[in-house]
Amino acid sequence: MNRLIIISNRVSAPMARGDKASQGGLAVALASALRESSGIWFGWSGNATDRFTGDISVRKTEGVTTATVDLEEQDVDEYYNGYANRTLWPLFHYRIDLAEFDRQFGSGYERVNQRFAATVAPLIEDGDLVWVQDYHLIPLGQELRRKGVKNRLGYFLHIPWPPHRLITALPFHRRLVESMLDYDLIGFQTHEWLESFHHYIERELGGSVAADGTITVGDRSTLTGAFPIGIDAGEYDTLSETPDAQVAFQTLRESAQGRKCLIGVDRLDYSKGLVERFNGYRRFLEENPDWLHQVYLLQIAPPSRGEVHTYANIREELDELSGRINGEFAHVDWVPIRYVNQGYPRGGLAGLFRAADVGLVTPLRDGMNLIAKEFVAAQDPADPGVLILSKFAGAAEQMTEALHVNPYSKDELSDRILQALKMPMAERRTRWEKLVDGVRRDDVHAWRKDFLAKLTGEAELVPAANTGRERAPLSTY
Ligand code: GDG
């Protein structure tokens, strides 16, 4: 087995056995691949220093070696808070209105990618497989080639790839995309993002796309494909048995006093559609007065990226909106929205998902969305809840039995909430059984194996139309 080198912005060191429940599925899956191959996970330590030294801190925890490097404060401002989170993140989530185009951000991004390459290159040995993760490190492959790295290089984008016209708004977009041609394999979450990438290659770079996903631009060829990420479904089953899960389940059921619970769990991020969700729920309350007192929305939204002003703005907007809706509808014995700005342990979340009747996963745009899959995995087979899923989440391409919704439409959100609350048990079970089969089959381990098999050339890439994966009809997008 080839040794695996994973490179991502942040590294998630494996936790001691007792703490496993607080670790995400992606970290667990990557850690197990690293353990099996005696690989290394390289990335930023999360610490900022005055001057970049390139000193690597190597640790071995639970059989996994992590190698981290500190970044300069200016790097963190320009590369991480700047280009990654104020330029690429909004633009790739179709929010050109929030994207900031600042020369300093662009040069900071290129500088950090060069620094990452220079620091990690000496750790890469002949035969190693290198797998680069996400939008922070798009040009890293090219920088590694410049350092003489000849290994197989794979890249996976966790967020959407925007339509051709949108990405051309990015200054130097050609430079960014051309840098990707140095990877041997480029993976996207869905066929939709893959198609957008192919359009760019054809229309902007005059390249061609073969049936197996190989793109050719001039004399350079790279394989591309859709690799929908999943959750660690097996681990999720055990999570539901933990004391954290059981306590959370009991607490929610007891405090509900027989009322139906709609649940949303999202990082506090404008792409997750929280303002639109609250407004859709308000429309539901206005249109269905007989449901007042019978239902409530539990929204868990741990703050993220607090250094970026658009995140502070969305937080303020939601504080105000939830207060207004509660002020308008609440009574002494009932509040329509329980809005919680803190994170919960993973087991606790699993218990809350199981106790809820409806999962509201309504991002305006999302690469995949793992909450949708976690909600399904956590349900009681005898009495499963209903998933309402944005048609703009990558997960909608696989999860065709969820109730799909346009998250921008208050009316549709209101209608879907009513439909979910009134759904007969037989329909709930039929939909859930199909959903959970997919979640279990296409889990995070299958995703990792599928990608690495293509990267090593052990598997043929099947033409997108013949993957056998169920796809929603194009008209729903
Ligand atoms: C990016 C893409 C893509 C959330 N709150 C708590 C908590 N979480 C965990 C969830 C889930 C994860 O965080 C969130 O994953 P998402 O997929 O919803 O979203 P992003 O963070 O935006 O991730 C996304 C993903 O990458 C993977 O490729 O699906 O589209 O944007 O696992 O459970 N975990 C804990 N407490 C919380 O309060 N412990």
Side-chain angles (χ1 to χ4, degrees):
M1 186 182 197
N2 303 77
R3 198 172 70 136
L4 181 62
I5 311 283
I6 291 173
I7 309 175
S8 58
N9 173 55
R10 293 297 301 275
V11 165
S12 182
M15 310 225 173
R17 279 181 220 298
D19 296 332
K20 279 264 187 303
S22 55
Q23 207 170 16
L26 175 63
V28 172
L30 294 181
S32 74
L34 289 167
R35 208 173 285 125
E36 281 165 32
S37 77
S38 305
I40 300 174
W41 192 340
F42 176 87
W44 173 36
S45 62
N47 299 326
T49 49
D50 291 343
R51 299 197 89 215
F52 180 78
T53 61
D55 293 345
I56 303 174
S57 156
V58 179
R59 283 211 183 108
K60 194 158 182 176
T61 330
E62 299 278 304
V64 174
T65 305
T66 57
T68 55
V69 66
D70 296 343
L71 288 178
E72 232 168 70
E73 261 163 44
Q74 193 183 347
D75 291 341
V76 178
D77 282 347
E78 294 174 354
Y79 145 82
Y80 180 68
N81 290 322
Y83 201 77
N85 287 333
R86 286 161 74 176
T87 307
L88 292 181
W89 178 273
L91 185 66
F92 279 40
H93 287 86
Y94 299 47
R95 293 299 302 268
I96 191 169
D97 56 319
L98 298 181
E100 295 174 53
F101 304 113
D102 182 321
R103 219 175 264 139
Q104 292 301 114
F105 293 173
S107 54
Y109 183 74
E110 289 187 356
R111 182 178 65 245
V112 169
N113 272 272
Q114 284 157 9
R115 287 180 165 174
F116 261 50
T119 316
V120 75
L123 304 180
I124 301 172
E125 296 169 4
D126 286 351
D128 287 351
L129 286 177
V130 181
W131 191 5
V132 178
Q133 307 283 327
D134 227 356
Y135 61 101
H136 314 86
L137 302 173
I138 295 174
L140 187 69
Q142 182 176 59
E143 297 300 341
L144 288 170
R145 294 283 184 233
R146 287 181 177 151
K147 294 280 165 207
V149 172
K150 297 201 166 47
N151 303 55
R152 303 280 298 169
L153 295 183
Y155 175 79
F156 185 78
L157 183 68
H158 289 258
I159 65 175
W161 184 270
H164 166 232
R165 293 280 178 217
L166 206 51
I167 198 161
T168 54
L170 185 70
F172 306 110
H173 54 90
R174 285 181 71 120
R175 190 152 98 199
L176 189 73
V177 181
E178 278 168 352
S179 77
M180 297 171 81
L181 300 171
D182 275 315
Y183 291 109
D184 298 294
L185 174 62
I186 304 172
F188 299 91
Q189 300 268 26
T190 68
H191 293 95
E192 190 184 356
W193 319 140
L194 177 65
E195 276 167 22
S196 299
F197 184 72
H198 288 167
H199 286 162
Y200 183 96
I201 294 296
E202 288 169 338
R203 293 180 199 168
E204 203 63 30
L205 302 185
S208 63
V209 181
D212 69 349
T214 301
I215 55 168
T216 303
V217 179
D219 58 357
R220 300 159 81 189
S221 286
T222 300
L223 196 55
T224 61
F227 301 88
I229 198 167
I231 62 166
D232 189 342
E235 177 241 17
Y236 221 81
D237 287 344
T238 23
L239 212 55
S240 304
E241 309 287 311
T242 58
D244 271 353
Q246 282 163 4
V247 168
F249 179 89
Q250 285 303 337
T251 310
L252 199 66
R253 279 285 160 99
E254 279 162 25
S255 74
Q257 296 181 322
R259 296 178 174 116
K260 299 277 185 193
C261 172
L262 313 172
I263 192 168
V265 177
D266 308 77
R267 267 190 313 101
L268 219 168
D269 191 302
Y270 48 82
S271 67
K272 302 294 181 184
L274 295 171
V275 169
E276 292 74 8
R277 187 180 305 165
F278 282 9
N279 281 324
Y281 175 61
R282 172 198 226 149
R283 173 67 51 91
F284 166 79
L285 296 175
E286 285 163 357
E287 290 182 340
N288 298 283
D290 45 331
W291 276 97
L292 298 178
H293 297 264
Q294 308 302 318
V295 66
Y296 66 95
L297 167 62
L298 170 63
Q299 178 62 56
I300 294 172
S304 68
R305 303 177 192 167
E307 314 266 301
V308 179
H309 63 94
T310 40
Y311 287 77
N313 295 347
I314 185 86
R315 187 167 181 177
E316 245 175 56
E317 199 178 348
L318 285 165
D319 285 350
E320 200 192 311
L321 185 57
S322 57
R324 228 179 315 133
I325 296 173
N326 278 342
E328 198 178 321
F329 291 93
H331 277 261
V332 281
D333 59 348
W334 171 69
V335 277
I337 303 183
R338 298 184 192 177
Y339 178 46
V340 185
N341 273 150
Q342 65 173 33
Y344 279 84
R346 285 169 55 71
L349 284 185
L352 296 178
F353 285 144
R354 195 176 178 94
D357 300 279
V358 178
L360 270 173
V361 182
T362 58
L364 304 179
R365 205 52 73 170
D366 218 326
M368 174 56 61
N369 195 298
L370 296 179
I371 296 288
K373 298 185 174 185
E374 290 167 0
F375 176 80
V376 165
Q379 295 309 302
D380 175 359
D383 183 18
V386 180
L387 175 64
I388 298 180
L389 178 60
S390 163
K391 60 186 184 183
F392 303 128
E397 209 171 278
Q398 294 170 296
M399 304 181 87
T400 50
E401 293 79 14
L403 295 183
H404 286 191
V405 70
N406 173 355
Y408 291 95
S409 163
K410 293 193 260 261
D411 291 339
E412 260 194 49
L413 278 164
S414 166
D415 291 352
R416 292 291 89 77
I417 291 172
L418 186 62
Q419 185 184 353
L421 289 170
K422 290 167 81 173
M423 190 179 285
M425 171 74 94
E427 184 181 348
R428 277 196 274 137
R429 279 198 186 147
T430 315
R431 286 178 181 268
W432 177 77
E433 278 159 16
K434 289 187 179 150
L435 285 169
V436 82
D437 280 352
V439 168
R440 288 187 180 138
R441 183 189 59 231
D442 299 329
D443 73 351
V444 74
H445 300 287
W447 166 80
R448 184 249 296 175
K449 284 181 191 146
D450 198 16
F451 188 94
L452 291 177
K454 305 276 164 31
L455 183 60
T456 49
E458 282 165 15
E460 289 300 313
L461 204 70
V462 181
N466 297 330
T467 53
R469 287 210 167 90
E470 282 188 82
R471 299 178 61 187
L474 278 177
S475 60
T476 61
Y477 292 98

